[in-house]
Amino acid sequence: GGGGGGGRPRADYTVFADVPYGEKIKGTVKSIQQIGAFVEVEVAGQVASGLVHVSQMSDEFVDDPWSVVSEGQEVEVTIRKVDVGAGKISLSMKSDSGGGGAPRADFTVFQNVPAGEKIKGTVKSVQSFGAFVEVEVDGQVAQGLVHVSELSDDYVDDAASVVSEGQEVEVTIKNVDVDAGKLSLSMKSGSEESFDDE
């Protein structure tokens, strides 16, 4: 065989890519950082560590990964994404990725909202890059991102200066990605086209 470097050979990440979406696999928490937890998983005899991002640790909003898991703990994870070339795995501990848990919202209902129509929402979390707002249309509930540039007609430097968690806001839907289950929202007063009104 070829003279590989020292240490154990890198896992064959294609086996992780073959795991059915949403299938739970057992793992062990190896280390915890502010961005999330690194969990070691084994599939078909291949062992690798993947990151459970802090946003994927629970169905609830998680601020502190240490409050959810501890090193050495056994957890159940699903595989979100595998980058075979880079040898990276993204994991999730949420209940709703595929099997079990609440079904994902039907994002087509958000596509059907007329452009510029205001809908009510509740701010779920505020990050430096914007605010995540939960909206409901026709009984379908989903969270969308109001990018910091869409929070106000004025320039916003810090999202937290405009909104706070739990606040009720009015938003318009900018963009819906049904496949990815992503909503882009805006809190600006006028849509881009409105400046050329009579």
Side-chain angles (χ1 to χ4, degrees):
R8 66 176 189 203
R10 201 175 78 181
D12 174 6
Y13 282 83
T14 54
V15 301
F16 299 102
D18 290 340
V19 174
Y21 183 74
E23 184 171 302
K24 294 251 196 304
I25 51 178
K26 283 195 169 37
T28 308
V29 178
K30 284 297 176 186
S31 71
I32 304 169
Q33 304 188 12
Q34 194 57 54
I35 58 164
F38 286 94
V39 174
E40 188 174 272
V41 290
E42 182 175 336
V43 173
Q46 300 293 326
V47 177
S49 271
L51 174 64
V52 180
H53 190 265
V54 62
S55 65
Q56 296 294 325
M57 294 186 81
S58 168
D59 297 336
E60 310 291 319
F61 174 71
V62 175
D63 191 37
D64 174 19
W66 287 270
S67 67
V68 183
V69 293
S70 50
E71 280 184 33
Q73 183 178 333
E74 290 239 316
V75 292
E76 283 204 326
V77 295
T78 56
I79 295 180
R80 289 188 66 223
K81 183 161 178 278
V82 179
D83 185 333
V84 175
K88 276 197 184 138
I89 303 179
S90 300
L91 303 171
S92 174
M93 284 165 48
K94 284 185 169 184
S95 63
D96 61 4
S97 43
R104 202 172 77 182
D106 175 7
F107 281 82
T108 54
V109 301
F110 300 103
Q111 273 186 320
N112 295 335
V113 175
E117 182 173 305
K118 294 254 197 302
I119 51 178
K120 283 194 169 37
T122 307
V123 178
K124 283 297 177 183
S125 73
V126 182
Q127 313 279 342
S128 55
F129 52 83
F132 286 95
V133 175
E134 188 174 273
V135 291
E136 182 175 336
V137 173
D138 291 346
Q140 299 294 327
V141 178
Q143 282 191 33
L145 174 65
V146 181
H147 191 265
V148 64
S149 64
E150 296 290 334
L151 279 166
S152 166
D153 297 336
D154 300 314
Y155 173 71
V156 176
D157 188 37
D158 176 19
S161 66
V162 181
V163 291
S164 52
E165 276 180 42
Q167 184 179 334
E168 292 242 315
V169 292
E170 285 203 324
V171 295
T172 56
I173 296 180
K174 277 193 75 205
N175 187 28
V176 181
D177 185 334
V178 174
D179 293 335
K182 279 198 181 137
L183 292 177
S184 300
L185 305 171
S186 175
M187 282 166 52
K188 285 186 171 180
S189 61
S191 60
E192 281 77 15
E193 299 83 42
S194 61
F195 62 80
D196 58 10
D197 283 353
E198 266 40 80

